[in-house]
Amino acid sequence: MAEEQTPKIQQVRQSEDRFLASDLFESGGRQLPRANGTGTYVEPSREIPIYHNCDVLVVGGGPAGTAAAWAAAQAGADVVLMERYNHLGGLSTGGLVIWIDRMTDWTGRQVIQGFAVDVFDRMPGEGYQGPPRADWGSNDPRKASYWGQRTAASHGIVNWSPTLDPERLKLISQEMLLEKGVRLVFHSWAAVPIVADGAVKGVVFESKGGRQALMAKVVVDTTGDGDIFARAGAEFDTDIEEGDVHHSANTAFMLGGVDMDRWLAFRANDPDQYAQFAALGRERLGFFQPPYVSWRNDIALFLGPRQSGLSALDVDDQTELEIRSHRFMQTHCEFFLAHAPGFEGAYMLQSAPQLGVRHTRRLGGVSKVLRSQWADGLALPDEIGVSPSVSLKYPVISVPYGALVPRRLDGLLAGGRHISCDANSHGFMREIPQCWLTGQAAGAAAALAVGAGVQPRAVDIKALQKELRRQGVFLHDQPAQDALVDAAQATAG
């Protein structure tokens, strides 16, 4: 076994173009050797049974997949959602990414709506922590300071970005889909897309029942890593921004038995002592990861340490990430227990059952969310949602339908963190609210494609925007949007 070496810390410059900045590190040693396999094995040909036929198959039950299945069913489709774990919500539940990032613009207007609103309408008060609606958009220094310590204010403005109970979200997500008649298929891994005549027709999946096929008129890839579209031959991008946290990975964890109010008071009121504490952490642990609040005062959330240089598409690297992350949980617990105010009774509560992956592949789509368009503030003709911008100097960002559509592959749409965008825009388009946004649009579009008997790329944009508005999605002004669509269609014609 390779000996663990001191992690190499990479300082990341704080920038208003980023939601989150932190230390990244790349450790020099590995915990296990690489596999020793060589050669190939020829799998014998065989017939496999068809498990089910449906209109829309959603592969992956994370934030985007849950929203996609809900939206497709809302639009009248017969929907199946396939998920490899035993729950819905993906990183927002099983990944313990329980901090739901900003859903409001800088005025306090909620721009990520639809599925996101329905989720929190069902969430009991004890299931989340976040600022009251009256404070969204407030620049009152006291409110901004209070909520800034609780991940719900940035650039001096309070925003709607709550933390929530992951078990509540699992149950709410499940019930939302069952109410709409969605067929859930848990404990199943979609392994191979079924492709014919340049279009995806379904998937071959593995479960305890063996190898089976599930056929669909449209498949929505919400795996987060583009597993289905990549294996089906669609183009994709993998470039990253070096030094940015958005390509790192780790397993999140929670510590119980803490007093987060006391910790936050120490961090805010004793900056010199806090700086010494952080320096001691880097000295003892090789890195420093401060805790975030959760939905309860007695639970601390750790979304790091964030590790670079390892691929979430490589099984050995995934294993390496898990081994390190579980050790980090122990060493962080011991360090905070010994040195941090509010952590005198801390204990290891839970590590996430899902690896916290931020980036692997991004679809090569008909169009992209582009960094060069941030400052424009223009509503795109094929807009299917609006994202908050990353700083005060930018208006809200229009998300195009073309970012969900492969350039050439038919029968498939993408939703979630692997949609078509440049590396910089991926920093916010991967967040949970944006995954809800793009997942809902992909699901609605898939249902409309089935209903009209057309490929997803041929879906009528006006009809899609009308359906999304019916489902509560926030889009730019309808008459202006119609004029943009008409102008785009005239140009294309």
Side-chain angles (χ1 to χ4, degrees), residues 275-358:
Q276 293 174 13
F277 173 81
L280 182 63
R282 289 192 175 91
E283 177 187 332
R284 298 283 179 85
L285 304 175
F287 43 76
F288 177 68
Q289 175 62 52
Y292 297 93
V293 298
S294 73
W295 76 104
R296 294 171 55 108
N297 183 58
D298 59 348
I299 294 176
L301 170 67
F302 288 79
L303 294 175
R306 299 173 180 88
Q307 304 171 58
S308 66
L310 296 169
S311 170
L313 299 178
D314 182 293
V315 67
D316 287 337
D317 283 1
Q318 287 181 306
T319 304
E320 184 78 17
L321 282 163
E322 297 287 11
I323 290 172
R324 293 181 186 179
S325 292
H326 289 114
R327 289 178 176 175
F328 297 154
M329 181 181 183
Q330 178 187 359
T331 57
H332 273 71
C333 184
E334 292 172 348
F335 178 77
F336 275 77
L337 181 66
H339 301 286
F343 282 76
E344 292 84 358
Y347 61 90
M348 293 189 293
L349 176 63
Q350 182 184 9
S351 61
Q354 292 183 225
L355 182 63
V357 180
R358 294 170 176 84

Side-chain angles (χ1 to χ4, degrees), residues 201-334:
K201 305 292 186 179
V203 298
V204 174
F205 70 98
E206 297 278 359
S207 72
K208 288 292 187 179
R211 195 170 179 87
Q212 296 171 287
L214 203 159
M215 310 303 293
K217 296 173 184 175
V218 176
V219 173
V220 181
D221 185 343
T222 49
T223 59
D225 300 309
D227 293 337
I228 304 304
F229 68 66
R231 292 170 188 171
E235 299 171 64
F236 59 87
D237 298 314
T238 59
D239 57 307
I240 60 174
E241 271 200 66
E242 294 290 344
D244 196 309
V245 302
H246 298 299
H247 69 269
S248 59
N250 62 276
T251 295
F253 60 90
M254 298 190 296
L255 301 184
V258 305
D259 184 343
M260 284 299 291
D261 285 341
R262 185 159 172 255
W263 160 261
L264 293 173
F266 160 67
R267 182 170 180 175
N269 300 329
D270 296 305
D272 291 339
Q273 283 191 307
Y274 175 77
Q276 293 174 13
F277 173 81
L280 182 63
R282 289 192 175 91
E283 177 187 332
R284 298 283 179 85
L285 304 175
F287 43 76
F288 177 68
Q289 175 62 52
Y292 297 93
V293 298
S294 73
W295 76 104
R296 294 171 55 108
N297 183 58
D298 59 348
I299 294 176
L301 170 67
F302 288 79
L303 294 175
R306 299 173 180 88
Q307 304 171 58
S308 66
L310 296 169
S311 170
L313 299 178
D314 182 293
V315 67
D316 287 337
D317 283 1
Q318 287 181 306
T319 304
E320 184 78 17
L321 282 163
E322 297 287 11
I323 290 172
R324 293 181 186 179
S325 292
H326 289 114
R327 289 178 176 175
F328 297 154
M329 181 181 183
Q330 178 187 359
T331 57
H332 273 71
C333 184
E334 292 172 348

Side-chain angles (χ1 to χ4, degrees), residues 93-154:
T93 56
L96 296 184
V97 185
I98 58 174
W99 167 26
I100 309 301
D101 218 320
R102 294 183 302 114
M103 291 175 274
T104 47
D105 66 12
W106 299 109
T107 70
R109 174 183 60 173
Q110 185 170 357
V111 295
I112 294 184
Q113 298 185 22
F115 181 82
V117 170
D118 202 348
V119 166
F120 282 97
D121 282 349
R122 295 165 181 255
M123 186 73 67
E126 67 271 19
Y128 69 94
Q129 175 182 246
R133 182 178 292 271
D135 289 346
W136 299 356
S138 173
N139 58 5
D140 181 306
R142 291 172 300 175
K143 292 179 179 179
S145 175
Y146 178 86
W147 287 111
Q149 296 178 52
R150 291 161 176 82
T151 65
S154 54

